[in-house]
Amino acid sequence: MDYKYLKFDLNDGILVLTIDRQKAMNALNSEVIEELNSALDDIEKNYEIEVVILTGAGKAFVAGADISEMAQMQVFEAQAFAKHGMDTFLKLEKLPRPVIAAVNGFALGGGCELMMSCDIRIASTKAKIGQPEVSLGITPGFGGTQRLARIVGLSKAKEMIFTGDAISADEAKEIGLVSYVTEPEALLDKAVEIAKAITKNSQVAVRNAKEAINAATEVDILTGMGIERAHFGLCFADEAQYEGMSAFLDKRRPEFNIK
Ligand code: CO8
């Protein structure tokens, strides 16, 4: 597929995926969502990609779903549009690669929902993060009510969604919505630093860990333990387990070249 709104930059296993629809602050219209969906399929099949960094071009990470596209929608179209976004964000959340959101600017509505579907989130001091949907007469529709409540707790999620007010990067860090705040020019370097710390490890183990951690907010603890046990056991079917443990015992650095 030729991508109109996505830019790909792959170096040493780290893909920087940039959403670039600057005339509309990278707002997610159906085309952008379709491109993201298709890009996730391409990424899953490409084993040269070990970690993905997702960011936005220009002033925004993503300023939400496209309001001009939504303005004329009827109930069924709105539900179909919400499903398209939700399915894509679920695919992102379940992508068997770690995904780091580098939130460079506005992450509003669908933009906040998109960053919450990523595994690790960092933000620049220019970021403004929020769920302003109620000011448009709608609720969040790409998973915001569910993910925000799980990440920051019910009270703060309700405050953010009921007021619609955006918060700063520092406030987002305070409530655990992002892990680090950087100066704008240092944002990608920080994301790459985290990505490199991941790529030095067994990618099979990282992917097994991601699947198990994702279950933590979806299932009861006993089921979660079962999922962890299954993924832990699966690691022993991979050469990386032998290499990682042998390297420790031989007092040398492991070489994980089997992805
Ligand atoms: N959709 C469409 N166009 C947008 C959007 C958007 N979400 N955000 C910005 N734009 C456009 C503006 O209309 C403007 O276009 P033009 O130049 O043609 O007038 C251009 O981007 C630049 O924007 P501004 O001039 O407004 O730039 P500012 O720097 O003054 O302000 C803001 C930047 C603060 C980001 C401002 O543009 C803004 O408030 N944008 C809207 C933010 C918002 O409300 N987002 C939530 C949208 S709703 C949503 O995401 C729901 C998700 C679930 C959907 C479920 C499906 C049914």
Side-chain angles (χ1 to χ4, degrees):
M1 176 173 182
D2 284 335
Y3 292 96
K4 189 169 158 195
Y5 298 117
L6 299 183
K7 306 259 179 301
F8 301 80
D9 185 12
L10 176 60
N11 285 300
D12 298 329
I14 300 168
L15 174 72
V16 179
L17 175 57
T18 307
I19 300 176
D20 190 351
R21 187 182 173 230
Q22 292 185 57
K23 72 174 168 62
M25 297 270 166
N26 304 329
L28 302 171
N29 61 9
S30 299
E31 269 183 287
V32 180
I33 294 173
E34 193 46 48
E35 288 199 2
L36 260 176
N37 200 303
S38 163
L40 293 170
D41 291 336
D42 290 348
I43 292 167
E44 178 160 4
K45 286 182 249 156
N46 184 348
Y47 285 92
E48 279 178 35
I49 301 171
E50 296 175 28
V51 178
V52 179
I53 296 171
L54 181 62
T55 194
K59 276 170 68 177
F61 175 69
V62 162
D66 191 294
I67 298 168
S68 40
E69 186 174 344
M70 286 186 295
Q72 305 305 323
M73 283 180 184
Q74 304 296 314
V75 172
F76 290 120
E77 291 169 292
Q79 285 172 339
F81 187 59
K83 183 170 186 317
H84 193 201
M86 282 176 182
D87 288 349
T88 303
F89 290 11
L90 280 168
K91 191 183 271 190
L92 172 64
E93 193 169 60
K94 293 187 186 308
L95 184 75
R97 303 290 187 288
V99 183
I100 302 168
V103 182
N104 52 301
F106 297 107
L108 301 172
C112 182
E113 292 166 311
L114 179 64
M115 69 164 231
M116 288 193 290
S117 308
C118 298
D119 301 303
I120 297 168
R121 293 170 288 279
I122 66 172
S124 100
T125 49
K126 290 217 168 128
K128 286 268 172 246
I129 301 169
Q131 298 281 168
E133 285 88 345
V134 292
S135 71
L136 298 163
I138 59 173
T139 67
F142 289 159
T145 59
Q146 303 306 300
R147 290 199 177 91
L148 192 59
R150 282 169 167 78
I151 296 169
V152 305
L154 288 178
S155 174
K156 197 68 200 177
K158 284 177 180 172
E159 180 191 329
M160 283 178 69
I161 292 172
F162 294 171
T163 65
D165 292 339
I167 59 173
S168 67
D170 283 334
E171 287 172 287
K173 180 164 182 284
E174 227 169 81
I175 61 171
L177 191 50
V178 303
S179 314
Y180 298 99
V181 178
T182 72
E183 290 305 317
E185 56 284 359
L187 182 69
L188 270 187
D189 286 347
K190 182 68 191 172
V192 169
E193 180 191 318
I194 298 169
K196 282 186 173 161
I198 297 171
T199 58
K200 73 178 190 313
N201 297 318
S202 153
Q203 295 312 296
V204 170
V206 168
R207 285 170 211 158
N208 274 316
K210 173 167 174 170
E211 244 182 278
I213 298 166
N214 277 356
T217 52
E218 289 165 12
V219 299
D220 65 273
I221 192 149
L222 283 182
T223 309
M225 293 297 182
I227 292 169
E228 178 173 306
R229 186 161 47 98
H231 285 85
F232 172 73
L234 271 179
C235 293
F236 287 75
D238 188 80
E239 286 181 34
Q241 173 269 332
Y242 181 73
E243 169 60 13
M245 293 191 176
S246 305
F248 176 81
L249 295 173
D250 297 347
K251 302 190 186 307
R252 62 174 172 82
R253 279 176 185 275
E255 279 184 39
F256 296 117
N257 43 23
I258 298 155
K259 304 302 181 192

